[in-house]
Every structure is written in structure tokens, then in C-alpha cells.
Amino acid sequence: MASDHSDARDQTSALTLKVLIAGGFGAGKTTLIRAVSEIRALRAEERLGEADRPADDTHGTVRKVTTAVAMDFGRITIRSGLSLYLFGTPGPDPFWFLWDELSQGALGAVVLADTRRLEDCFPAVGYFQHRRIPFVVAANCFPGSRTYGAHDVSQALTLDRGTPVVLCDARDRDSGKEVLIRLIEHAGRTHAARLRDPAG
């Protein structure tokens, strides 16, 4: 009987947080979610056709043959009692309405950046800055591509002061988990600062 009460307490004390995974086409959103998710990640992708080419430019992503048509979903337990639900956002056009729905109640976001095509990050960065949603930029280090430092990426994206930039490998679970931990820490500091100064 005591065990049943203990299980009930564990369930009610568990904290589940929503995190968005955004970024440009081919930056590694689906890869990151699949790498860290402890459940089979749900995917909503279709093969690229010629009609997709103008919106989903494959320059620099020659192996990319699919594109998200809705969203990806996964879950990861960071520690006992703390789990994250991960929602991968589709490309902004024509899915802005999904971004608005997904961002409701989100702890924060990860913007995955392909340093070969940093300009692809601007829509996501602008979206989260405008809505004051805490986010970190995760520079996905692709094999064979030039490696840039966090400061270089921050300057190139004209990030607000204090927005973390993390170098990562979206294929690696530990690397992805570290990105999520950095987001939790950053979001915690941001929310605490807003409680102290609601007008800030």
C-alpha cells in the first residue's frame, strides 16, 4: 500500500516541460530529436519534389531528401522528476500558425544553426526574440565544414546580449542533452529576472 502512495507522489511531483527545436532547412532538427529522445521520435516528413525546391533550398545539404510537413516530437528525461517534450518546428512558410500554437506554454527553444547557411536561422531567431521566448543557438558542427566559435556565431546572428551559443553535434545524444541543459539553465535565469522586474 505504501508503494502505491509513493508512486502517486512521484507522478504528481514530476515536472514536464515543452521545448521547441527550430532552425533552417537541413540544420539537424529531426536528427537532434531522434538522437536524444527516449521514445521513438514521431516524424512528419515527405520526400522533396521539384515543387519544394524554392522554399527548401538544398544548397549545402546534398544528402537531404525529405522536408518536414508538420512537426517532429520526442521526449527526454533530464533527471528524475524532470522530462522535456521536444517539438520540432516545420519551416516557417507556410506553417507560422503552427509556431504560434506550439509556442504556447513553452519553456524555451533551441535554434539549430548550420554555420554554412547561418542566414537560414534569422526567421527563428527573430520569432523568439520578438515574442520574448528564451532560446539558445546550437551551432551544429557538420563534418568537413569550417568550425566557428560561439562569439562569431553570436555576432553573425546579431543575438541579444546573454543569448547562449553552444557548439554541438546533433547526432550525438550527450551533445544534444548538453544543449537542452543549457536551455533549461538560460530559461530559468530569464524567467527569474522577469519575476524580479516584470517591466524588463
Side-chain angles (χ1 to χ4, degrees), residues 188-200:
R189 290 192 298 269
T190 300
H191 290 304
R194 289 174 184 171
L195 287 174
R196 293 193 299 269
D197 182 13

Side-chain angles (χ1 to χ4, degrees), residues 1-12:
M1 199 70 174
S3 176
D4 291 340
H5 288 305
S6 176
D7 290 343
R9 283 196 302 270
D10 289 343
Q11 291 175 4
T12 56

Side-chain angles (χ1 to χ4, degrees), residues 7 14-15 23 28 37 57 62 74 82 84 96 128 142 153 159 167 171 187-188 195-196 199:
D7 290 343
L15 181 62
S37 181
D57 179 15
V62 292
L82 176 59
L84 303 182
W96 280 124
F128 297 126
F142 286 86
V153 174
L159 298 177
L167 303 183
R171 303 166 300 176
L195 287 174
R196 293 193 299 269

Side-chain angles (χ1 to χ4, degrees), residues 23-107:
F25 174 74
K29 300 182 293 293
T30 298
T31 300
L32 176 67
I33 292 173
R34 291 181 68 190
V36 301
S37 181
E38 61 201 20
I39 62 173
R40 183 175 180 180
L42 301 179
R43 303 175 65 185
E45 293 193 330
E46 287 184 354
R47 288 190 64 84
L48 281 170
E50 287 306 313
D52 301 301
R53 301 297 177 182
D56 289 340
D57 179 15
T58 57
H59 176 70
T61 59
V62 292
R63 295 183 182 177
K64 180 73 170 173
V65 295
T66 59
T67 185
V69 293
M71 64 182 182
D72 299 311
F73 172 77
R75 185 189 71 207
I76 179 175
T77 300
I78 296 296
R79 57 171 172 75
S80 178
L82 176 59
S83 297
L84 303 182
Y85 284 169
L86 310 175
F87 292 86
T89 62
D93 293 323
F95 292 108
W96 280 124
F97 71 96
L98 274 180
W99 285 55
D100 291 337
E101 291 292 329
L102 288 173
S103 64
Q104 294 296 317
L107 170 76

